[in-house]
């Protein structure tokens, strides 16, 4: 009995189509989960490698996206546990908002957001990423993570509150409208 992995055993075109359609979204989620471009690329590559190995099972599922996202979240959790750093450095609040069209300022704001997300506990960060970067509902996130929808709402509310505390200038009335109805 031969147990070696063979690419010819997989419906390669289906997997290639999946990668072409979803790799950008997976990368965006991985970037926010890891906070580092190289680590995100590694995470996506490792996720797709695992997905490729199990593609027949995944393709037979009702929601292959959810299955692959779950692989990515599990891998990110494993990495976070392995490489967790105990140092937390607060980032100075400048109080300056980014002017429209200021691309450099927008990069700085994104960098600050990613750094702030890195300060959240892994489950809370994962819930925020799945909601706002993958646009999933409470039920979809709960199914992906194996938790209840009420836990999703609780983690999301706490995560948003922690992020707002790091960006007080952005947490005015306009920011609150985005999160209405999550509780």
């Amino acid at each position: 009995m031969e147990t070696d992995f063979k690419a010819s055993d997989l419906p390669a075109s289906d997997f290639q189509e999946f990668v072409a359609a979803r790799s950008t979204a997976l990368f965006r989620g991985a970037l926010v989960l890891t906070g580092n471009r190289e680590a995100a690329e590694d995470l996506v590559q490792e996720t797709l490698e695992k997905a490729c190995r199990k593609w027949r099972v995944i393709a037979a599922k009702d929601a292959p996206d959810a299955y692959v996202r779950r692989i990515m979240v599990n891998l990110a959790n494993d990495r976070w546990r392995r490489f967790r750093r105990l140092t937390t450095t607060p980032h100075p609040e400048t109080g300056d908002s980014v002017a429209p069209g200021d691309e450099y300022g927008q990069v700085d704001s994104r960098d600050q957001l990613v750094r702030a997300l890195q300060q959240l506990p892994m489950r809370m960060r994962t819930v925020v990423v799945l909601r706002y970067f993958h646009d999933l509902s409470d039920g979809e996130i709960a199914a992906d993570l194996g938790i209840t929808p009420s836990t999703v709402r609780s983690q999301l509310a706490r995560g948003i509150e922690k992020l707002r505390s790091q960006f007080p200038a952005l947490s005015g009335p306009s920011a609150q409208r985005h999160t209405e109805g999550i509780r």
Side-chain angles (χ1 to χ4, degrees):
M1 176 186 241
E2 189 172 341
T3 59
D4 289 0
F5 171 78
K6 290 183 185 176
S8 61
D9 291 344
L10 297 173
S13 63
D14 290 346
F15 182 71
Q16 289 171 352
E17 289 171 13
F18 176 82
V19 171
R22 302 300 303 153
S23 61
T24 302
L26 288 172
F27 177 75
R28 280 193 314 263
L31 183 60
V32 176
L33 285 172
T34 62
N36 176 309
R37 184 175 192 80
E38 292 79 23
E41 289 170 350
D42 290 346
L43 180 59
V44 170
Q45 183 175 357
E46 192 174 350
T47 299
L48 292 174
E49 177 188 350
K50 285 190 177 279
C52 181
R53 291 179 183 268
K54 297 181 178 184
W55 186 247
R56 283 191 176 178
V57 173
I58 294 170
K61 300 283 183 189
D62 288 337
D65 280 351
Y67 197 98
V68 173
R69 271 193 313 271
R70 181 65 183 185
I71 291 171
M72 185 173 70
V73 166
N74 287 342
L75 290 171
N77 285 336
D78 291 346
R79 284 172 175 234
W80 181 75
R81 286 183 195 112
R82 260 187 311 224
F83 302 114
R84 179 172 51 184
R85 293 184 182 149
L86 298 177
T87 59
T88 56
T89 55
H91 300 284
E93 179 62 39
T94 61
D96 297 333
S97 62
V98 176
D102 180 7
E103 293 178 17
Y104 294 112
Q106 291 173 353
V107 169
D108 287 343
S109 295
R110 278 189 224 122
D111 182 56
Q112 288 176 342
L113 177 60
V114 169
R115 288 175 192 259
L117 281 165
Q118 294 302 305
Q119 300 302 314
L120 297 178
M122 190 61 183
R123 179 186 279 180
M124 196 177 290
R125 181 184 338 152
T126 303
V127 168
V128 171
V129 167
L130 291 176
R131 168 56 64 82
Y132 291 105
F133 287 86
H134 289 280
D135 201 27
L136 299 181
S137 69
D138 293 347
E140 291 169 320
I141 296 169
D144 279 4
L145 300 180
I147 57 178
T148 65
S150 61
T151 302
V152 169
R153 289 187 295 274
S154 170
Q155 292 289 303
L156 187 60
R158 289 181 184 144
I160 295 300
E161 189 60 36
K162 284 186 178 193
L163 291 172
R164 281 186 181 152
S165 71
Q166 293 187 25
F167 297 99
L170 300 177
S171 61
S174 62
Q176 288 177 342
R177 277 186 276 146
H178 265 207
T179 58
E180 285 179 1
I182 14 182
R183 295 181 189 203

